[in-house]
């Protein structure tokens, strides 16, 4: 209901003033962000059910990989995702999978059964994609991030990287870059 009222008021201002006063893009962006967060909340509810049910079975690496990919796409949203999906799937995600494989290889069987992936990537311009963590202790093991970089004359790039608990998440481990364009990219989750 609130959404409908907001849209009506924005439209009414434009009509009454005969277009002399146009609603700012900030108003529309806020409306779109509200819609995205509502969708994200609904997705989170259904997604958590899927995660809980998949953990009744022995945890397998395939489950973690598929959840990691889902969380990545959720972070990208419908504006960024289609444009970078191919390069992400072909170049970045295999490297992410390799990192997860290496880290899981060093864990004992009990620790492997306690591995999970966080469910909510951060929005706006925050870096967090997802964390691989130990459910029993709640401690992060790997933190996967993507940073938006503006390189003068070249344009905007997405820098994919990760941090490890082994070095207290201090070191930046690079996975690769994906070019966006010279235009400012949209916020995450949009």
């Amino acid at each position: 209901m609130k959404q409908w009222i907001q849209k009506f008021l924005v439209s009414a201002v434009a009509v009454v003033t005969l277009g002399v006063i146009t609603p700012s893009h900030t108003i529309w962006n806020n409306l779109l962000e509200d819609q995205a967060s509502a969708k994200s909340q609904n997705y989170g509810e259904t997604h958590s059910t899927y995660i809980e049910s998949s953990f009744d079975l022995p945890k397998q690496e395939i489950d973690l990989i598929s959840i990691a990919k889902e969380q990545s796409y959720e972070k990208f949203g419908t504006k960024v995702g289609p444009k970078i999906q191919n390069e992400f799937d072909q170049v970045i995600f295999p490297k992410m999978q390799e990192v997860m494989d290496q880290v899981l290889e060093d864990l004992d069987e009990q620790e492997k059964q306690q591995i999970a992936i966080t469910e909510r990537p951060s929005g706006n311009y925050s870096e967090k994609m997802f964390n691989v963590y130990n459910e029993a202790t709640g401690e992060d093991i790997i933190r996967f991030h993507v940073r938006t970089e503006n390189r003068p004359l070249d344009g905007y790039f997405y820098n994919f990287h990760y941090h490890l608990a082994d070095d207290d998440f201090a070191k930046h481990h690079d996975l690769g870059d994906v070019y966006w364009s010279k235009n400012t990219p949209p916020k995450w989750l949009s």
Side-chain angles (χ1 to χ4, degrees), residues 41-182:
Q41 288 172 350
N42 291 338
Y43 174 81
E45 291 167 7
T46 58
H47 185 65
S48 65
T49 304
Y50 165 75
I51 289 173
E52 289 167 9
S53 66
S54 70
F55 288 140
D56 293 338
L57 304 170
K59 289 186 183 174
Q60 297 179 1
E61 190 175 333
I62 292 172
D63 293 330
L64 291 175
I65 298 302
S66 64
I67 294 169
K69 195 169 238 185
E70 276 183 44
Q71 293 305 304
S72 299
Y73 288 147
E74 184 178 345
K75 172 140 182 108
F76 301 156
T78 58
K79 292 182 180 177
V80 175
K83 186 165 180 177
I84 69 168
Q85 180 177 354
N86 289 340
E87 195 168 352
F88 176 77
D89 287 346
Q90 294 171 7
V91 178
I92 304 298
F93 195 76
K95 292 178 183 179
M96 293 171 79
Q97 187 173 353
E98 186 178 315
V99 169
M100 287 188 278
D101 289 344
Q102 288 173 352
V103 171
L104 292 176
E105 189 176 293
D106 294 338
L107 302 177
D108 64 37
E109 287 305 313
Q110 183 179 359
E111 288 174 317
K112 286 180 184 178
Q113 295 300 317
Q114 298 169 341
I115 296 301
I117 292 181
T118 56
E119 296 180 37
R120 300 215 192 278
S122 60
N124 292 324
Y125 292 109
S126 298
E127 293 186 9
K128 178 187 167 191
M129 292 176 67
F130 61 88
N131 299 338
V132 177
Y133 71 101
N134 183 312
E135 279 185 311
T137 64
E139 295 177 359
D140 290 343
I141 299 169
I142 313 170
R143 295 177 181 165
F144 286 99
H145 291 170
V146 58
R147 178 177 59 222
T148 305
E149 295 180 347
N150 182 7
R151 300 177 186 166
L153 304 177
D154 291 333
Y156 287 91
F157 287 81
Y158 293 122
N159 171 258
F160 291 88
H161 59 279
Y162 64 97
H163 305 275
L164 295 171
D166 292 346
D167 62 9
D168 293 325
F169 307 105
K171 189 172 179 188
H172 182 106
H173 303 272
D174 196 44
L175 292 167
D177 297 328
V178 175
Y179 178 72
W180 170 255
S181 78
K182 294 207 180 236

